[in-house]
Amino acid sequence: MKVGELLKALNARNLTVFLGILTTIGIVVYYLFRNKTYYDFLLWNLFLAWIPYVISLAASRIHSQKATKLTSLFIVLLGGLWILFLPNAPYIITDLIHLTVRKSIYIQNGRLSFAYWYDFFIMVLFSWIGIFLGCSSMYFFQRVCMVRFNRFLSWVMIAIASLLTGYGILLGREYRLNSWDALLNNRLLQVIDKTMNKESLIFCLLVGLVMLMFYTTLYLLANGSYNQSLKKQSDAN
């Protein structure tokens, strides 16, 4: 059995179409219930969530070509770029904090108005799309890593990516840094130094664990029956 056969190959075209439909539905629902422009940043954040997915598609496409030093170099470069932008996918979850900050505007006659719940579920919808995009991109990169190295190292990569996602969300939410600041912001080292504390470590571990659980769920849904069928084929042979 080839190493790549241990991980089911996703149909990139169908998955991209499905994610595109989800995104379109999310945007339409947002505009149907939109009564103020305050949450328009959700559209930008959703756009950023697509970037790691597109990068993973490019890496997967290059991986399918004949293996050369040049293709390997491109995959490594894309992998580094992917790690920089991956935190943008689950980052949308943290936008829920705005509902807490602005809670007072939703209170009418001593109770939460329906507008609060509309905005809440729209944010949940956008968060789910972002998580799905991020986990899908992780899946594509794990398959590349599994074929080029082995199953163990592919899971090490996933664990590291999950932890770095937690750190990226920390930099974005608490220190207001963007993915491109890793290359352009001369304050980056100063900010990193500020994050060297117990609270930041716990935050990264917790968010990394949550991201890993999200991904493992997708992995099992995609590969549960597939691995069972492979086992039956192996036993039959």
Side-chain angles (χ1 to χ4, degrees), residues 34-48:
R34 173 177 175 263
N35 52 17
K36 293 184 179 180
T37 60
Y38 180 78
Y39 296 125
D40 282 351
F41 59 78
L42 285 172
L43 302 176
W44 172 248
N45 288 346
L46 188 58
F47 167 76
L48 292 178

Side-chain angles (χ1 to χ4, degrees), residues 29-30 160 213:
V29 170
Y30 173 78
I160 293 174
M213 291 175 67

Side-chain angles (χ1 to χ4, degrees), residues 130-174:
I131 291 169
F132 202 169
L133 284 164
C135 289
S136 297
S137 75
M138 292 170 72
Y139 191 94
F140 283 123
F141 262 104
Q142 183 179 19
R143 194 166 196 279
V144 171
C145 188
M146 187 177 291
V147 172
R148 289 182 173 262
F149 299 101
N150 56 56
R151 190 171 195 172
F152 174 75
L153 287 179
S154 74
W155 277 107
V156 170
M157 182 275 294
I158 289 296
I160 293 174
S162 298
L163 288 174
L164 290 177
T165 294
Y167 189 65
I169 291 177
L170 172 71
L171 293 178
R173 178 53 68 191
E174 293 296 319

